[in-house]
Amino acid sequence: AQSVTQLGSHVSVSEGALVLLRCNYSSSVPPYLFWYVQYPNQGLQLLLKYTTGATLVKGINGFEAEFKKSETSFHLTKPSAHMSDAAEYFCAVRKGYGGATNKLIFGTGTLLAVQP
Amino acid sequence: GAGVSQSPSNKVTEKGKDVELRCDPISGHTALYWYRQSLGQGLEFLIYFQGNSAPDKSGLPSDRFSAERTGGSVSTLTIQRTQQEDSAVYLCASSLSRDRDGTGSGNTIYFGEGSWLTVV
């Protein structure tokens, strides 16, 4: 079975500082990994995803994540935080095959606060 | 519209009443999902529809919860005899079923803005 652990339910950074949101996964088969962002009172929006190929994935709004199989991690980073990045971020995992019964499993989320 | 549409956006109901939440997926998307988001609980998978296949109901928390998808498009999530612990945001999502690798697993899942349910 697949599962996701997000370390740190709340992260606070200063504007301009590095953003690092941690995600570790557990999967018995090659995983597909996703990061979603949820702004206040809105639905979820895909930031980026890893399926196959390059392990460093670039997404929208300057975010990127690196799939590290040896560490079972998929941490999300952004070099310089902006006030508009304040939101809740969810890491998710899915089996890399078997689309017919293939649900997306989410972590519990990390709320990012950006201080001026 | 271009996105996943959910209605109602907000619903307040009395304990013990039944509620229906509607989801209209993106046109052409054959996969449809329901998730529940409770405060401090993250996103909980409820049910998944894929084309004409039997739905994956493994996430439904009790037999008070059911969902159907008519004509392979619109879906309705029904909660019978609502309880206060059912208060949450119910999110619907949809995706294409197949991509280049043939599984659809890498396809982006698009979410609606949710139906906020409050049981009083």
Side-chain angles (χ1 to χ4, degrees):
Chain A
Q2 285 68 42
S3 67
V4 172
T5 302
Q6 291 184 242
L7 296 176
S9 59
H10 291 79
V11 171
S12 182
V13 300
S14 299
E15 191 173 19
L18 171 71
V19 176
L20 171 60
L21 304 182
R22 298 179 186 275
C23 173
N24 287 88
Y25 70 90
S26 173
S27 178
S28 56
V29 298
Y32 285 2
L33 295 156
F34 306 77
W35 275 99
Y36 280 81
V37 60
Q38 186 176 34
Y39 296 103
N41 300 318
Q42 295 187 24
L44 279 80
Q45 179 183 5
L46 181 70
L47 269 180
L48 48 80
K49 63 181 178 181
Y50 167 77
T51 54
T52 58
T55 56
L56 181 62
V57 181
K58 295 186 185 297
I60 62 172
N61 301 338
F63 284 93
E64 62 183 37
E66 187 171 10
F67 170 61
K68 292 187 177 180
K69 184 178 178 181
S70 61
E71 299 178 6
T72 61
S73 69
F74 191 56
H75 302 329
L76 182 70
T77 60
K78 182 174 180 178
S80 177
H82 192 271
M83 297 295 289
S84 60
D85 295 327
E88 190 157 20
Y89 292 79
F90 293 92
C91 183
V93 65
R94 200 178 190 187
K95 287 189 295 188
Y97 66 89
T101 57
N102 204 349
K103 52 185 176 275
L104 200 59
I105 304 300
F106 284 90
T108 52
T110 297
L111 189 62
L112 176 66
V114 181
Q115 308 299 328
Chain B
V4 178
S5 178
Q6 292 188 245
S7 62
S9 55
N10 284 282
K11 175 73 175 179
V12 179
T13 191
E14 292 180 353
K15 179 181 172 181
K17 299 283 190 184
D18 296 352
V19 295
E20 286 189 349
L21 307 176
R22 175 189 167 105
C23 173
D24 204 338
I26 293 173
S27 178
H29 282 190
T30 57
L32 186 147
Y33 314 76
W34 283 98
Y35 285 83
R36 178 169 69 176
Q37 185 174 22
S38 306
L39 194 62
Q41 298 295 317
L43 284 135
E44 175 188 11
F45 167 78
L46 297 178
I47 188 169
Y48 166 67
F49 294 91
Q50 171 54 54
N52 295 322
S53 302
D56 177 353
K57 303 179 181 180
S58 60
L60 294 178
S62 76
D63 59 7
R64 296 187 295 104
F65 288 73
S66 62
E68 63 177 20
R69 189 178 185 191
T70 54
S73 181
V74 172
S75 176
T76 301
L77 177 69
T78 301
I79 309 172
Q80 296 178 308
R81 305 181 302 282
T82 52
Q83 304 295 313
Q84 288 186 327
E85 61 263 29
D86 299 334
S87 297
V89 180
Y90 290 83
L91 291 166
C92 178
S94 71
S95 73
L96 292 167
S97 62
R98 298 289 179 191
D99 62 10
R100 283 175 296 175
D101 72 3
T103 68
S105 299
N107 285 339
T108 298
I109 298 177
Y110 296 88
F111 284 80
E113 296 200 350
S115 290
W116 294 66
L117 175 65
T118 303
V119 182
V120 298

